[in-house]
């Protein structure tokens, strides 16, 4: 029987409106919880364990539901004591990146997205959004294949998003151009405001004033100085803003043999320089001897710590400002200042700054200092004791050393000094500058009969917390351990 005119039910009323998806917290796949006598909860993962604290029996029972997931809203109010305990447990798991989050319907096991924290303490943050708000995708956001999954991530974000529903990818693709939320809501399969709010909270999506202005790039603030590939490389090649394996883990040991230490020879008749050297033999110069004596030191003699006088001499020879000048490229270009130091720098930018984490130095209190290369002075920076300890212990671990270095020099870059001038290669130039400064520190340490060792890992998030500077404005690009060698003249572990 056909519906009579005027009696047909409106489509919106005939169809039950879908409930909006909600955010669940759940244990990461490799994590198991174990409750010990007395209520202590341990998390086990990858052959290791973390003690999370002591909780009531009710919390221990409810915590087992974290395997499948607990709605954040079910304990976020904190009205009951058990809710407060559950939230504390989940936050402690988050502190160690042992928990992930998913967005799905309340009575469904089909996720829209799964959120993997990339920084410690990540907690889903949302922004209130309305129909008139205009959103656009950050130019630092990207989607890529990871195994059999599609992931959405950004070096700005504290988490990455595993996309489980193709409508999410379609919505993201639309946001390459600014879109009002009212238009997005009319799209078939719209994933909901909660997802957009999560992406805005991670700065993967940006709110802009209007679709017609030059807002999409301006909305990035001072990140306008960064190229996409430079910013991504900085965030992913350092520690602190991703959860990928990092360091000497030999990821391809079972796949390919190592390359030979000496390159296979090219065909052709060689010109033997040894004969020429013998014919023009001269005693090695002091510089040649210094270069040959240079080596890495990972063990330091804490019974004979480095002195403040030696630190002063090393910084004076390696990093003090020698002269200042200004230049102008063209008549209408702004004046550019230069502060020359003893080492070469790309474009005379001299963007590198030195920060000293002092553990054991005669005449200098334990703490964190900035080296003012203009005044040749050390300026103390107030930091929490556990942050200083974390910085020193990370260097000890990276060097596989028996103890922390007496002094750890963090080489930080003021990125805008280089990217203001150079396009496409700014970060590469900064790393070259780090190389020449590191060699300069090595040579000064060798001449002074001190021990030094370049450290390949730096935590950009920890540095940001210690200095209060945003990681994209100024951040670590290298480290150098310094002290009095426990074994003078010997390269530890056979490494250079």
């Amino acid at each position: 029987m056909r519906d009579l005119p005027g009696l047909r039910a409106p489509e919106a009323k005939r169809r039950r409106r879908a409930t909006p998806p909600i955010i669940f917290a759940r244990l990461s796949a490799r994590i198991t919880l174990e409750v010990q006598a007395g209520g202590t909860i341990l998390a086990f993962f990858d052959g290791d364990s973390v003690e999370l604290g002591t909780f009531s029996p009710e919390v221990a029972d409810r915590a087992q539901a974290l395997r499948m997931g607990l709605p954040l809203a079910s304990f976020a109010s904190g009205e009951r004591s058990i809710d407060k305990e559950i939230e504390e447990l989940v936050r402690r798991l988050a502190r160690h990146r042992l928990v992930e989050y998913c967005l799905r319907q309340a009575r469904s096991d089909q996720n829209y997205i799964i959120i993997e924290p990339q920084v410690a303490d990540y907690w889903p943050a949302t922004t209130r959004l309305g129909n008139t708000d205009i959103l656009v995708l950050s130019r630092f956001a990207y989607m890529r294949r990871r195994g059999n999954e599609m992931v959405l991530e950004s070096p700005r974000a504290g988490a990455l998003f595993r996309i489980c529903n193709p409508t999410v990818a379609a919505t993201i693709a639309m946001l390459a151009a600014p879109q009002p939320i009212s238009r997005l809501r009319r799209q078939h399969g719209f994933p909901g405001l909660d997802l957009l709010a999560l992406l805005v909270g991670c700065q993967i999506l940006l709110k802009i004033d209007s679709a017609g202005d030059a807002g999409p790039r301006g909305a990035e603030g001072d990140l306008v100085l960064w190229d996409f590939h430079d910013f991504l490389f900085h965030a992913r090649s350092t520690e602190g803003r991703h959860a990928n394996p990092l360091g000497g883990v030999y990821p391809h040991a079972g796949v390919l043999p190592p390359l030979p230490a000496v390159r296979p020879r090219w065909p052709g008749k060689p010109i033997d320089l040894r004969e020429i050297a013998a014919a023009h033999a001269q005693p090695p110069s002091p510089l040649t001897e210094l270069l040959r004596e240079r080596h890495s030191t990972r063990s330091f003699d804490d019974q004979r710590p480095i002195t403040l006088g030696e630190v002063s001499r090393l910084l004076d020879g390696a990093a003090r400002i020698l002269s200042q000048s200004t230049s102008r490229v063209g008549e209408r270009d702004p004046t550019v200042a230069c502060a020359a130091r003893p080492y070469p720098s790309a474009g005379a930018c001299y963007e590198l700054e030195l920060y000293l984490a002092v553990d054991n130095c005669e005449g200098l209190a334990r703490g964190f200092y900035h080296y003012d290369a203009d005044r040749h002075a050390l300026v103390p920076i107030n930091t929490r004791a556990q942050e200083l300890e974390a910085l020193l212990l990370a260097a000890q671990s990276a060097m596989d050393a028996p103890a922390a270095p007496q002094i750890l020099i963090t080489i930080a870059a003021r990125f805008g000094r280089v990217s203001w001038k150079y396009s496409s290669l700014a970060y590469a130039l900064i790393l070259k500058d780090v190389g020449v400064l590191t060699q300069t520190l090595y040579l000064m340490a060798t001449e002074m009969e001190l021990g030094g060792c370049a450290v390949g890992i730096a935590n950009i998030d920890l540095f940001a917390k210690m200095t209060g500077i945003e990681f994209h404005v100024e951040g670590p690009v290298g480290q150098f351990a310094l002290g009095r060698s426990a074994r003078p003249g010997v390269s530890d572990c056979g490494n250079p």
Side-chain angles (χ1 to χ4, degrees):
M1 180 177 176
R2 297 176 60 186
D3 292 330
L4 295 176
L7 298 180
R8 184 175 300 168
E11 184 70 17
K13 291 184 179 180
R14 290 193 300 170
R15 225 173 17 191
R16 178 176 295 177
R17 180 172 295 178
T19 58
I22 58 179
I23 305 171
F24 289 77
R26 70 182 189 186
L27 293 174
S28 300
R30 69 186 193 282
I31 311 303
T32 58
L33 296 183
E34 180 180 296
V35 183
Q36 297 188 326
T40 300
I41 298 180
L42 298 178
F44 291 87
F45 55 96
D46 301 333
D48 204 349
S49 65
V50 170
E51 183 176 320
L52 300 171
T54 302
F55 297 87
S56 66
E58 293 81 8
V59 170
D61 289 339
R62 193 176 173 191
Q64 301 307 316
L66 285 170
R67 173 55 56 202
M68 297 302 298
L70 281 173
L72 281 186
S74 69
F75 56 81
S77 64
E79 294 179 355
R80 301 178 302 169
S81 60
I82 187 174
D83 293 334
K84 294 179 180 178
E85 283 193 87
I86 283 289
E87 180 176 4
E88 180 61 27
L89 174 61
V90 176
R91 286 193 179 273
R92 291 183 186 182
L93 286 164
R95 202 167 298 144
H96 297 284
R97 291 191 293 209
L98 303 178
V99 68
E100 62 186 20
Y101 311 89
C102 52
L103 187 70
R104 66 172 184 258
Q105 300 293 338
R107 293 179 174 84
S108 171
D109 59 357
Q110 299 298 313
N111 298 310
Y112 282 101
I113 56 165
I114 297 173
I115 308 171
E116 294 183 10
Q118 299 298 293
V119 299
D121 285 336
Y122 169 82
W123 195 261
T126 58
T127 301
R128 182 180 292 275
L129 298 174
N131 277 341
T132 59
D133 287 325
I134 298 172
L135 303 182
V136 69
L137 193 65
S138 166
R139 66 188 179 93
F140 297 106
Y142 60 100
M143 285 190 287
R144 66 180 177 94
R145 182 180 71 86
R146 187 187 67 176
N148 295 325
E149 302 170 325
M150 185 68 75
V151 297
L152 170 67
E153 56 184 317
S154 165
R156 299 190 72 178
L160 67 79
F161 295 74
R162 284 155 48 195
I163 298 175
C164 308
N165 188 311
T167 61
V168 174
T171 301
I172 297 302
M174 286 185 61
L175 286 161
Q179 302 285 346
I181 288 179
S182 58
R183 182 183 302 166
L184 295 173
R185 298 184 82 156
R186 294 195 296 268
Q187 300 302 310
H188 175 70
F190 174 63
L193 281 180
D194 283 339
L195 172 61
L196 299 181
L198 284 167
L199 295 176
V200 172
C202 268
Q203 297 180 305
I204 287 178
L205 295 182
L206 306 174
K207 289 173 64 174
I208 61 175
D209 292 334
S210 71
D213 62 15
R217 190 173 180 91
E220 303 280 3
D222 50 15
L223 281 165
V224 70
L225 291 168
W226 283 88
D227 286 330
F228 168 80
H229 60 280
D230 280 348
F231 194 40
L232 178 62
F233 186 72
H234 174 56
R236 294 298 184 261
S237 62
T238 52
E239 189 179 19
R241 296 197 65 82
H242 67 89
N244 303 321
L246 186 68
V249 297
Y250 301 97
H252 308 295
V255 181
L256 294 171
L259 293 177
V262 179
R263 192 196 187 283
R265 292 171 178 167
W266 285 92
K269 184 178 180 180
I271 300 171
D272 194 339
L273 299 179
R274 292 172 296 183
E275 297 178 1
I276 298 174
H280 300 82
Q282 292 183 355
S285 69
L287 176 60
T288 301
E289 291 183 341
L290 199 62
L291 287 167
R292 291 176 178 175
E293 290 174 6
R294 185 214 60 80
H295 60 273
S296 292
T297 297
R298 295 168 176 82
S299 301
F300 300 97
D301 187 355
D302 282 339
Q303 300 303 313
R304 298 184 305 120
I306 190 172
T307 68
L308 179 57
E310 290 170 321
V311 172
S312 173
R313 178 183 163 193
L314 181 135
L315 293 174
D316 180 69
R320 186 175 183 176
I321 291 176
L322 303 177
S323 63
Q324 298 189 52
S325 61
T326 59
S327 63
R328 181 173 291 175
V329 178
E331 292 183 0
R332 297 183 179 180
D333 293 319
T335 299
V336 180
C338 172
R341 293 156 170 89
Y343 55 90
S345 175
C349 292
Y350 288 101
E351 75 285 357
L352 301 180
E353 299 289 330
L354 300 185
Y355 292 81
L356 279 64
V358 176
D359 184 52
N360 188 4
C361 177
E362 184 180 318
L364 186 60
R366 193 175 193 268
F368 191 58
Y369 301 83
H370 171 249
Y371 174 58
D372 185 332
D374 186 22
R375 294 185 296 174
H376 188 53
L378 291 174
V379 181
I381 299 174
N382 291 326
T383 59
R384 295 189 298 176
Q386 56 265 41
E387 292 172 343
L388 178 65
E389 192 69 22
L391 189 67
L392 292 166
L393 289 178
Q396 176 187 345
S397 176
M399 294 189 296
D400 194 22
Q406 294 174 357
I407 292 178
L408 177 66
I409 300 176
T410 295
I411 304 171
R414 292 188 295 144
F415 303 107
R417 281 286 298 174
V418 181
S419 59
W420 184 84
K421 177 178 181 179
Y422 292 102
S423 178
S424 296
L425 75 165
Y427 197 72
L429 294 177
I430 290 171
L431 296 185
K432 292 176 174 68
D433 289 349
V434 174
V436 296
L437 175 54
T438 300
Q439 176 72 329
T440 304
L441 291 170
Y442 262 123
L443 294 180
M444 280 297 304
T446 302
E447 182 188 51
M448 296 173 61
E449 297 183 347
L450 296 172
C453 182
V455 181
I457 294 177
N459 190 313
I460 59 178
D461 203 47
L462 177 59
F463 182 85
K465 292 176 181 177
M466 296 177 73
T467 60
I469 303 172
E470 292 283 350
F471 80 99
H472 62 271
V473 175
E474 181 178 341
V477 285
Q479 289 184 323
F480 189 82
L482 179 68
R484 198 173 312 284
S485 175
R487 294 178 289 173
V490 178
S491 179
D492 295 336
C493 307
N495 293 328

